[in-house]
Amino acid sequence: MSLAVIEETEKEIILAYKEKNKPKIEKETYYILHQLVVLMMNTFKDRLKGITFEMGEIQFDESYITSELNKNALLKWLQRISEIEYPIDDLEFGKLKVDLEEWFYQIGGQDINFHYQDSYLLRPKEAAELLGVSTVTLNKYVKRGFEYIASSSQKRIPRHMIELWKNPIYCLKVQMLFQEKKSKTQSPKERLYEVMEEILEFQVKYKVDTVKEAFPHIDGDQMDLQDYYEWESLEEEQKKLKQMIYGTKNTDE
C-alpha cells in the first residue's frame, strides 16, 4: 500500500465510525484483513506457502467491529503496514502472525490457517535444543498452545515459535489464542480439568499452592518470569471457569 492509499483509507475509517455506518465499517474491516493477508503472503514467501480462511464464514461480531477497539485496531494496522521494515526477523514475523490471528478471532472469524514452507519448519528435537528443554517439556508446551503443525513430515515447528515462547507477553498471547480456539469445541468443565492439571504442575515444581507464594517479589530480572505469567493466567481462568460451572458466587470465599 502506498502512503497516499494509507492516508485515504485512514480518512475512510474515521468517517465510517463518525457516521456509525455499519456496512462501511464492515467494508473497511474486510479491506484491512485482505491487505494484511496479501502483504504477508507476498512478503514472506520464504516462510509461508499461504494463509487460508473462509471469507464467507466470517460472521462479524457487531459489538466488536463497531467499537472503538476495532477502530483503533484498524488505524494501528494501517500504521503498522506503513512502518514495516524489511527484512524482518523470526520474532517480529511471529508477532505479526499472532496479532493478525488474535484480531481475526476478535472480529468474528472462525478459523484461519498458516501454511509454512518446509525450510521454515524445525524438527521437535531441534526446537527443544534451541529452547534449552527436553522433548518431554516441549510436549507440555505443545499442550499449552506451542505451535505444532500436524503433518506427515518430521518438521513441524515454525521457527518463530522459539523466540515467541521466550517472550512473556507473546507466550501468553499464544496460549490464550490456543484456548480460545479450543473453547469453541470444549465445555467449561473439560477446560477446568485441563487448567487444574496445568496448575498442579506448577505447584509440584515450586512446592507451594499459589503463584503469589511462589513469586512473592516479581521483578524484570526474574529467571522464571514466564512461569509467573502462565500460572497467574491459569489461576484467573480457573476462577472464571468455576464461577461459570458453580454459579456467580465467588468460589474462593
Side-chain angles (χ1 to χ4, degrees):
M1 294 174 71
S2 67
L3 182 58
V5 171
I6 288 174
E7 290 177 349
E8 189 62 30
T9 304
E10 182 177 350
K11 291 177 183 177
E12 291 295 321
I13 291 170
I14 293 172
L15 181 61
Y17 278 90
K18 183 178 180 180
E19 295 176 345
K20 297 182 180 179
N21 188 326
K22 183 174 173 288
K24 197 169 183 179
I25 290 172
E26 288 189 2
K27 178 184 175 183
E28 296 301 331
T29 301
Y30 266 130
Y31 179 71
I32 296 298
L33 176 60
H34 175 73
Q35 290 300 315
L36 284 167
V37 171
V38 170
L39 171 71
M40 291 193 72
M41 288 177 61
N42 288 339
T43 306
F44 305 115
K45 292 179 181 179
D46 58 329
R47 293 177 169 104
L48 289 169
K49 290 181 180 178
I51 302 172
T52 57
F53 61 91
E54 293 295 331
M55 185 71 81
E57 291 184 3
I58 297 180
Q59 301 296 322
F60 279 128
D61 182 336
E62 184 175 344
S63 62
Y64 178 80
I65 70 162
T66 57
S67 70
E68 285 292 312
L69 288 173
N70 194 50
K71 174 187 174 183
N72 293 335
L74 293 174
L75 295 175
K76 285 180 180 177
W77 277 122
L78 273 177
Q79 181 180 4
R80 196 163 177 180
I81 289 171
S82 69
E83 293 177 349
I84 289 179
E85 295 183 1
Y86 308 101
I88 289 178
D89 61 25
D90 290 338
L91 176 59
E92 292 306 312
F93 169 78
K95 288 180 178 180
L96 184 63
K97 181 261 179 184
V98 169
D99 290 342
L100 171 57
E101 194 174 12
E102 179 183 42
W103 181 60
F104 178 82
Y105 290 116
Q106 287 174 334
I107 64 177
Q110 295 300 306
D111 193 24
I112 184 169
N113 297 290
F114 295 79
H115 309 280
Y116 301 102
Q117 299 287 358
D118 290 344
S119 59
Y120 188 63
L121 298 173
L122 298 167
R123 293 180 175 83
K125 185 177 180 181
E126 291 176 311
E129 289 175 353
L130 289 170
L131 285 167
V133 300
S134 66
T135 53
V136 173
T137 298
L138 180 65
N139 288 334
K140 291 180 181 179
Y141 291 168
V142 170
K143 290 180 181 179
R144 294 179 189 170
F146 190 91
E147 194 172 0
Y148 185 90
I149 309 301
S151 168
S152 57
S153 170
Q154 293 183 2
K155 293 185 174 184
R156 299 187 175 189
I157 297 169
R159 293 178 181 274
H160 61 255
M161 281 308 302
I162 305 303
E163 296 305 320
L164 277 185
W165 205 254
K166 295 177 182 178
N167 183 297
I169 294 175
Y170 275 85
C171 178
L172 187 57
K173 264 192 175 188
V174 167
Q175 292 179 74
M176 290 174 68
L177 276 170
F178 178 72
Q179 294 308 329
E180 183 176 348
K181 286 183 278 189
K182 284 184 67 175
S183 69
K184 297 179 186 295
T185 57
Q186 190 178 45
S187 71
K189 187 175 180 181
E190 289 171 331
R191 175 55 187 159
L192 178 59
Y193 286 142
E194 285 189 355
V195 169
M196 292 173 69
E197 183 177 348
E198 290 174 25
I199 288 176
L200 180 59
E201 290 182 10
F202 283 123
Q203 291 172 332
V204 170
K205 178 178 179 178
Y206 290 96
K207 298 180 175 58
V208 292
D209 292 328
T210 68
V211 67
K212 288 183 178 179
E213 292 176 276
F215 299 90
H217 304 291
I218 294 298
D219 59 65
D221 296 325
Q222 190 81 39
M223 287 298 292
D224 290 319
L225 192 58
Q226 182 173 311
D227 281 1
Y228 167 77
Y229 284 119
E230 290 180 22
W231 193 351
E232 182 184 51
S233 177
L234 286 167
E235 286 189 352
E236 291 175 358
E237 186 178 1
Q238 178 182 236
K239 186 180 295 184
K240 290 177 182 178
L241 286 166
K242 285 183 176 180
Q243 290 173 351
M244 289 174 63
I245 296 169
Y246 303 152
T248 58
K249 183 179 178 181
N250 189 327
T251 55
D252 291 335
E253 292 180 353

